[in-house]
Amino acid sequence: MMNSGSPGPGIAEIGDETTDDDRTLGLAVRRARQARGLSLQRVAEAANVSVGLLSQIERGISSPSIRALRAVCSALDIPVHALFGDAEAALEQESRRIVRVNQRRRADFGDRGMVKEFLTARNEGALQVMEIALEVDGGSGEDPYNHEGEECGVVLEGRLELYVDGAVYRLAEGDSFYFESTLPHKFRNIANGRTRILWITPPPVW
């Protein structure tokens, strides 16, 4: 019988010294996990290793066996070689191109009944893509507003009332729109439940 202090399958003993390779590997594992928005607990359970071991690997104070490393990479859905060589550059590149669903930047407008989630990773480019969720009668507010740029989008769920330069349009699921942002505009949810819109603005407004 294994005693409670013994390491389990795939768990390496902790050395007396931390090597640069261990620290580099641990940092790559941590960045890969964080880039996917996963907790230590979730990855450890998927890899069938202890949370303590995974934490030690990430801190560079434990060298994982090949078996444990493969299991962790499988849980992260990445090949083992992604942790070596250009791993840091690859993760940085992913952060500029990919937004995981649980990593979206989010703006809650409270009493307006509107939440914006940003689907583009950064605001430095020429395009901003959002998913806007509106509660019943939620929207941009009573007063029309305008700014530089253009806007387009599609109603993913529910029904939307869109006001543009004095005209009022009622859109249903699947309907799309386009208008110049310099025109006075506002919008609100006219469904009995939530309305969601995929909203695109070039350039980013904020």
Side-chain angles (χ1 to χ4, degrees), residues 11 18 36 39 41 44 46 50 56 59 63 75 98 110 113 115 124 141-142 153 160 166-167 174 178 189 199 205:
I11 297 179
T18 300
R36 285 152 180 78
S39 66
Q41 181 74 35
S50 70
Q56 290 168 358
R59 287 181 287 150
S63 297
I98 306 299
V115 173
E124 288 83 357
E142 291 295 326
L160 180 72
Y178 163 83
N189 177 13
W199 205 293
V205 293

Side-chain angles (χ1 to χ4, degrees), residues 136-149:
V136 175
D137 206 36
S140 59
E142 291 295 326
D143 299 323
Y145 63 101
N146 65 297
H147 50 87
E148 293 298 321

Side-chain angles (χ1 to χ4, degrees), residues 76-116:
L76 294 172
D77 195 25
I78 59 173
V80 173
H81 66 75
L83 297 177
F84 302 93
D86 295 330
E88 183 174 347
L91 290 170
E92 173 62 23
Q93 183 181 75
E94 176 177 309
S95 72
R96 296 195 303 269
R97 295 176 175 175
I98 306 299
V99 178
R100 305 290 174 179
V101 66
N102 55 354
Q103 291 183 306
R104 293 178 180 179
R105 292 173 293 132
R106 192 172 186 269
D108 190 334
F109 291 80
D111 58 359
R112 289 189 183 181
M114 175 171 63
V115 173
K116 292 183 178 182

Side-chain angles (χ1 to χ4, degrees), residues 9 30 73 80 89 101 112 119 145-146 152 161 170 174 188 204 206:
R30 177 180 295 170
C73 287
V80 173
V101 66
R112 289 189 183 181
L119 310 186
Y145 63 101
N146 65 297
C152 63
E161 182 179 83
R170 292 179 174 84
R188 71 182 181 96
W206 57 290

Side-chain angles (χ1 to χ4, degrees), residues 182-197:
T182 52
L183 300 174
H185 56 278
K186 63 179 180 177
F187 56 91
R188 71 182 181 96
N189 177 13
I190 55 173
N192 292 327
R194 185 177 64 168
T195 287
R196 294 187 303 118
I197 314 105

